[in-house]
Amino acid sequence: MDRPTFVYDGDCAFCTSCAEFARRRVPTPARIVPWQFADLDALGLTAERCAEAVQWVDPGTGATAAGPDAIALLLRSSRPWWRPAGAVLRLPPVRALAWPAYRWVARNRHRMPGGTAACAVPRHDAQV
C-alpha cells in the first residue's frame, strides 16, 4: 500500500455523500474508502477510531490524522486550487475552531442533508 488512504464511515449516508463529493471534485492520489471495507490492521487503525472520525494514513510520509486534520491533508494532496483550503484548515486558530465544529457535525450527522438514523453515532454511555 503505497498511496495515502482517506477512511470514512460507509454506514453513514451523510459521510458517504461527503466522500462521493471528494471523489468527484477533489482530485487526489489518495484512496477514499469506507472503513467497513478497508484493511484496518494494515492501515494501523481500529474500528473505534474510524467510527469517531474520518482518518488519513499516508504510508509514504508516515502521516496520520483524524477529523478536520485528515480533511486538511486530503485537500493538500489535491490539485493546486484545493491546497490553500487544506493549508488554512491546519492554521492554529482555524484548527481550534474546526475540531469543535467537526465534533458537532459528527454528533448530528443523522440530521444533516442525506443523513439517516443509521448515521447516528452510538453513545458510549448507552446500555446495550
Side-chain angles (χ1 to χ4, degrees), residues 38-96:
D39 184 350
L40 297 182
D41 288 336
L43 293 169
L45 298 173
T46 64
E48 292 78 22
R49 280 179 57 190
C50 294
E52 290 178 8
V54 294
Q55 303 289 322
W56 174 269
V57 177
D58 185 345
T61 65
T64 62
D69 296 333
I71 295 167
L73 291 172
L74 175 73
L75 294 171
R76 290 178 62 188
S77 76
S78 185
R79 300 261 171 94
W81 56 85
W82 285 106
R83 289 179 192 153
V88 167
L89 194 52
R90 296 285 291 183
L91 294 173
V94 176
R95 188 171 182 257

Side-chain angles (χ1 to χ4, degrees), residues 3-38 54 56 71 74-75 77-79 81-82:
R3 293 174 23 184
T5 304
F6 184 82
V7 182
Y8 67 95
D9 186 351
D11 284 341
C12 174
F14 177 72
C15 299
T16 300
S17 295
C18 293
E20 287 303 317
F21 174 86
R23 274 193 194 98
R24 286 190 314 274
R25 307 273 189 221
V26 183
T28 175
R31 295 178 327 119
I32 300 174
V33 298
W35 69 262
Q36 294 84 350
F37 298 106
V54 294
W56 174 269
I71 295 167
L74 175 73
L75 294 171
S77 76
S78 185
R79 300 261 171 94
W81 56 85
W82 285 106

